[in-house]
Amino acid sequence: MDNLISLVNKIQRACTALGDHGEASALPTLWDSLPAIAVVGGQSSGKSSVLESVVGKDFLPRGSGIVTRRPLVLQLHKLDEGSREYAEFLHLPRKRFTDFAAVRKEIADETDRETGRSKQISSVPIHLSIYSPNVVNLTLIDLPGLTKVAVDGQPDSIVQDIENMVRSFIEKPNCLILAVSPANQDLATSDAVKISREVDPTGERTFGVLTKIDLMDKGTDASEILEGKAYRLKFPWVGVVNRSQADINKNVDMIAARRREREYFATTPEYKHLANRMGSEHLAKMLSKHLEVVIKSRIPGLQSLINKTIAELEAELSRLGKPIATDAGGKLYSIMEICRLFDQIYKEHLDGVRPGGEKVYNVFDNQLPAALKRLQFDKQLAMENIRKLITEADGYQPHLIAPEQGYRRLIESSLVTIRGPAEAAVEAVHSILKELVQKAILETLELRQYPGLRVELTNAAAESLGRMKEESKKATLKLVDMECSYLTVDFFRKLPQDIDKGGNPTHSIFDRYNDSYLRRIGSTVLSYVNMVCATLRNSIPKSIVYCQVREAKRSLLDHFFAELGKMEQKQLSQLLNEDPAVMQRRSDLAKRLELYRSAQAEIDAVAWAK
């Protein structure tokens, strides 16, 4: 039993240290799913004295009015007999208190740090662990005492504020309620009984504690309440006798007070038949035993919650990516690995594994042919332009058989217009390759955590594609220029034969520039230009793929990799300059995941041992 409760205490401490108690969260957390016991009562109901009796130490602040102004999460850890008692606060790690008067002072000081030296309250809990051979393993939450009237220095809302705070704890289905009521007041007016009944109408989670039994008026006793006749609870009422103010002033030892409590119930006629289930020692043992039962019943639900949360934490950590390496070599390796992932995704787009590469083919199969068809040769092959270029090419000596220089000038002036569609095809493919870079950047999940690297990688890829575009433009335009610089001779060697077959005699020197002759020249030039267009329609895509697409797949980041090798650690760190919020989130998630995995292993071990 003790091991089971100690495990829950350990998990609760770890949850608290990580801030995983989620009071304001709508989602269930491990803290919310762990059973605990909240101590509820009105002001001056003896609530603090009950806690001190359970602990066996005088350690809580005392005074008039609201003394408990923040929740106190008190974890008790049983030590072996003869061990020295000590206390630890979560906000003062690794500092042990062996003087419990100092513990009392620290509770008061820590309360003032949060609320100021006023009578305000705060829902931020103080976490205190006490280790002693005189306690049972238990977790208790001491809450501010319920009140009906605000006193000087308190806001009018203090009554409702305290009630809301108490409810926020005891409404949780895994919270057991220790309802403390004074025996010298009418139970019907008990704040603790009233609020407990509202949140736990069946009494499944409520334990009644009756204090100040020894202070009741003469002739009256609490036997009917303790026997469950006056107000029945599912669990029997427990009566306690706390130290009187005189005992407190005299610093009466808690162990002695427990002995006197036992004697009171054993010797008082009204209670001697109930003595075996009265007193603070019995209360502590009963709560510890019941807590064990509750914990065992909650193990399947805890296992389910832990397994689900581990899966969610692992998924989020995966989305956030791996933590940054600290050394230069590790940083360089991380950058190279991320770049390779990007490069692989980029290649998949081009190769058809991912969408986008088909747009390049669309340029070759639709855009380029359409652009070539749209070329207007009317201006170059207009009758006046043909006559002008032919006569200019002849100079002072008219051509004898065929106007070769005229043909050359007409063909060159027509072919040069193909440079436009060729250059447009290069630009179109360049735009597609840049677009695929952006897609690959977005699809490389590892780049999301490093905005600096993402920007540099985008710029490096753009610069590389820019260089490839210029090379492609040069090579592609050279194809057009080559067609201009050397004409296909065989095409023109057929011309005299075509003339003979048509029965057209050689024109005389006087009618050589007539319209019919010029139209035939224009028709011949157009046929040749169309033949060249058909050739370039096939060769331009080859040039573009070779210079742009192929090179993008082979060496998109080569220049960037070369620059990376020259960088110092500071420059590499700038590339991996992750958002601090993401770094903190990853660290928090990693710690929480470690907590949940540890809890999973230990709870699974307990479940198997049942």
Side-chain angles (χ1 to χ4, degrees):
M1 178 183 74
D2 286 346
N3 288 339
L4 190 59
I5 298 176
S6 295
L7 169 60
V8 171
N9 283 353
K10 176 183 175 183
I11 296 173
Q12 284 175 326
R13 288 198 307 276
C15 285
T16 303
L18 292 176
D20 193 41
H21 36 80
E23 289 91 344
S25 174
L27 298 174
T29 65
L30 184 53
W31 171 273
D32 292 327
S33 300
L34 295 172
I37 302 173
V39 186
V40 181
Q43 288 183 27
S44 304
S45 62
K47 187 164 54 68
S48 296
S49 295
V50 171
L51 284 173
E52 289 185 331
S53 296
V54 169
V55 175
K57 283 292 178 182
D58 188 358
F59 69 98
L60 291 172
R62 293 182 179 275
S64 60
I66 299 179
V67 178
T68 304
R69 291 183 287 122
R70 291 176 61 183
L72 175 68
V73 179
L74 176 63
Q75 292 186 324
L76 306 180
H77 307 269
K78 185 173 182 59
L79 300 179
D80 295 334
E81 289 297 326
S83 300
R84 188 177 185 184
E85 298 172 307
Y86 66 93
E88 291 180 341
F89 288 94
L90 185 66
H91 64 273
L92 295 173
R94 294 181 295 279
K95 181 176 181 180
R96 289 188 175 185
F97 290 77
T98 55
D99 180 2
F100 282 81
V103 173
R104 183 191 307 113
K105 183 177 184 303
E106 181 57 32
I107 292 174
D109 291 345
E110 178 61 15
T111 299
D112 289 342
R113 291 185 195 110
E114 181 68 27
T115 64
R117 293 184 177 276
S118 65
K119 296 182 180 180
Q120 300 286 345
I121 64 169
S122 170
S123 61
V124 179
I126 298 172
H127 294 268
L128 172 65
S129 294
I130 294 179
Y131 301 80
S132 169
N134 302 316
V135 300
V136 294
N137 288 307
L138 202 58
T139 295
L140 298 166
I141 304 173
D142 184 22
L143 298 171
L146 296 162
T147 184
K148 292 182 173 65
V149 180
V151 299
D152 290 343
Q154 294 177 337
D156 294 337
S157 63
I158 190 73
V159 176
Q160 192 62 47
D161 292 343
I162 293 176
E163 182 176 332
N164 291 342
M165 183 195 301
V166 171
R167 286 181 183 275
S168 70
F169 281 88
I170 66 176
E171 283 177 341
K172 296 173 183 176
N174 292 303
C175 181
L176 306 179
I177 305 168
L178 193 63
V180 179
S181 302
N184 59 352
Q185 293 180 12
D186 188 352
L187 196 63
T189 64
S190 169
D191 296 311
V193 171
K194 176 177 178 292
I195 197 169
S196 299
R197 182 186 293 173
E198 290 175 2
V199 300
D200 181 32
T202 62
E204 297 287 332
R205 302 186 284 118
T206 303
F207 294 82
V209 178
L210 209 58
T211 62
K212 303 185 180 183
I213 293 176
D214 55 327
L215 301 180
M216 295 181 72
D217 293 338
K218 288 185 178 182
T220 61
D221 64 75
S223 58
E224 287 198 353
I225 297 175
L226 295 175
E227 289 172 356
K229 296 177 181 178
Y231 184 84
R232 178 175 293 278
L233 292 172
K234 180 177 180 180
F235 304 101
W237 282 83
V238 177
V240 297
V241 175
N242 299 323
R243 292 181 303 167
S244 66
Q245 189 60 48
D247 292 336
I248 293 170
N249 294 338
K250 294 177 184 177
N251 292 321
V252 172
D253 181 69
M254 276 292 186
I255 303 303
R258 283 181 178 178
R259 185 171 60 252
R260 286 169 54 179
E261 182 185 43
R262 287 195 300 270
E263 291 173 357
Y264 174 84
F265 285 111
T267 59
T268 302
E270 292 83 2
Y271 308 121
K272 61 190 310 182
H273 67 291
L274 301 171
N276 66 325
R277 59 181 181 86
M278 294 293 117
S280 55
E281 288 182 286
H282 170 76
L283 175 64
K285 291 176 182 177
M286 180 192 70
L287 290 175
S288 183
K289 183 177 181 180
H290 186 77
L291 190 60
E292 178 209 7
V293 173
V294 173
I295 291 171
K296 283 185 177 179
S297 69
R298 298 288 191 274
I299 283 179
L302 284 173
Q303 288 175 309
S304 176
L305 172 63
I306 288 172
N307 292 338
K308 179 182 177 183
T309 306
I310 286 175
E312 291 172 350
L313 291 172
E314 288 175 338
E316 186 169 357
L317 276 172
S318 177
R319 287 194 297 271
L320 291 177
K322 297 177 182 178
I324 303 170
T326 55
D327 60 296
K331 291 179 187 295
L332 180 60
Y333 177 80
S334 297
I335 293 172
M336 295 287 284
E337 281 300 300
I338 294 172
C339 290
R340 288 191 183 100
L341 289 172
F342 158 79
D343 197 44
Q344 181 60 38
I345 292 172
Y346 186 70
K347 289 176 181 176
E348 289 175 0
H349 277 291
L350 290 173
D351 290 338
V353 178
R354 298 172 187 250
E358 73 281 357
K359 293 182 179 180
V360 174
Y361 177 71
N362 183 62
V363 172
F364 302 148
D365 195 49
N366 293 306
Q367 293 183 33
L368 178 61
L372 291 173
K373 285 182 180 179
R374 285 195 301 270
L375 286 177
Q376 299 295 325
F377 298 111
D378 295 346
K379 183 178 179 181
Q380 287 80 10
L381 301 181
M383 197 68 67
E384 290 304 316
N385 193 55
I386 294 174
R387 180 178 285 108
K388 178 175 177 292
L389 290 180
I390 292 293
T391 56
E392 286 178 355
D394 282 349
Y396 73 90
Q397 175 67 60
H399 61 271
L400 300 177
I401 299 176
E404 182 177 332
Q405 292 302 320
Y407 270 114
R408 289 186 181 278
R409 291 190 183 186
L410 283 169
I411 290 171
E412 288 173 8
S413 65
S414 297
L415 291 182
V416 76
T417 61
I418 301 177
R419 291 172 64 94
E423 193 168 350
V426 171
E427 292 288 348
V429 171
H430 176 68
S431 296
I432 293 168
L433 295 177
K434 283 175 62 179
E435 178 186 329
L436 295 182
V437 165
Q438 293 298 327
K439 282 189 176 182
I441 289 285
L442 293 174
E443 292 169 12
T444 307
L445 301 182
E446 291 75 6
L447 282 172
R448 294 180 183 178
Q449 67 187 96
Y450 305 120
L453 178 58
R454 186 169 63 244
V455 170
E456 288 299 319
L457 191 57
T458 302
N459 292 339
E463 289 175 7
S464 183
L465 290 177
R467 288 191 293 271
M468 294 172 190
K469 181 188 78 170
E470 293 305 315
E471 290 299 317
S472 178
K473 189 181 293 185
K474 291 177 184 177
T476 303
L477 294 181
K478 278 182 180 178
L479 291 176
V480 179
D481 294 342
M482 284 190 285
E483 293 291 347
C484 294
S485 63
Y486 186 80
L487 307 183
T488 303
V489 178
D490 288 344
F491 180 87
F492 295 97
R493 283 177 176 167
K494 298 175 182 178
L495 290 179
Q497 297 174 10
D498 292 339
I499 292 172
D500 292 341
K501 288 177 183 177
N504 295 320
T506 304
H507 295 285
S508 70
I509 193 70
F510 301 107
D511 62 0
R512 200 158 286 176
Y513 300 118
N514 65 26
D515 288 352
S516 175
Y517 182 64
L518 296 178
R519 274 196 296 270
R520 183 164 183 80
I521 292 175
S523 176
T524 302
V525 169
L526 182 61
S527 297
Y528 184 81
V529 170
N530 286 335
M531 180 193 73
V532 172
C533 283
T535 302
L536 290 176
R537 177 180 170 177
N538 294 321
S539 59
I540 287 175
K542 294 177 181 179
S543 172
I544 292 174
V545 168
Y546 184 85
C547 296
Q548 287 175 267
V549 180
R550 174 176 170 272
E551 283 304 304
K553 289 174 62 177
R554 289 180 56 188
S555 60
L556 182 65
L557 298 179
D558 282 5
H559 183 73
F560 182 61
F561 288 155
E563 293 298 314
L564 278 178
K566 303 173 186 176
M567 289 186 181
E568 302 291 336
Q569 181 166 345
K570 183 179 179 180
Q571 294 171 296
L572 295 173
S573 298
Q574 290 174 346
L575 290 179
L576 297 178
N577 187 17
E578 191 175 20
D579 184 348
V582 175
M583 295 174 67
Q584 184 61 48
R585 178 65 177 162
R586 185 190 297 108
S587 176
D588 291 344
L589 288 174
K591 291 177 182 176
R592 189 163 285 120
L593 181 59
E594 182 181 0
L595 160 66
Y596 274 75
R597 282 175 174 165
S598 175
Q600 181 187 51
E602 297 195 42
I603 290 178
D604 286 350
V606 170
W608 282 105
K610 287 200 302 180

